[in-house]
Amino acid sequence: MKKFECMVCGYIYEEELGDPDNGVDAGTKWEDVPEDWVCPVCGVGKDEFNEVE
């Protein structure tokens, strides 16, 4: 599964883990994360994330 890094604070969203504390179940693909979801660390939107290898 893919990982995406917040370019502002460095938080890593991992599809395998999701963000259950903020309503995103484990296994949720990045494209299926709601558009109004924000980084749980710094609060920026999905547009501030880039895929990492």
Side-chain angles (χ1 to χ4, degrees):
M1 299 195 99
K2 297 178 182 176
K3 297 179 183 181
F4 296 83
E5 180 179 8
C6 178
M7 295 295 105
V8 175
C9 72
Y11 169 82
I12 303 289
Y13 174 83
E14 298 183 47
E15 291 180 339
E16 186 175 351
L17 302 177
D19 183 18
D21 290 342
N22 293 293
V24 181
D25 293 332
T28 301
K29 294 188 180 301
W30 182 247
E31 58 266 20
D32 296 330
V33 173
E35 289 303 316
D36 62 352
W37 178 85
V38 296
C39 176
V41 175
C42 71
V44 298
K46 285 178 66 178
D47 59 326
E48 296 291 336
F49 281 74
N50 287 331
E51 186 174 351
V52 293
E53 297 299 321

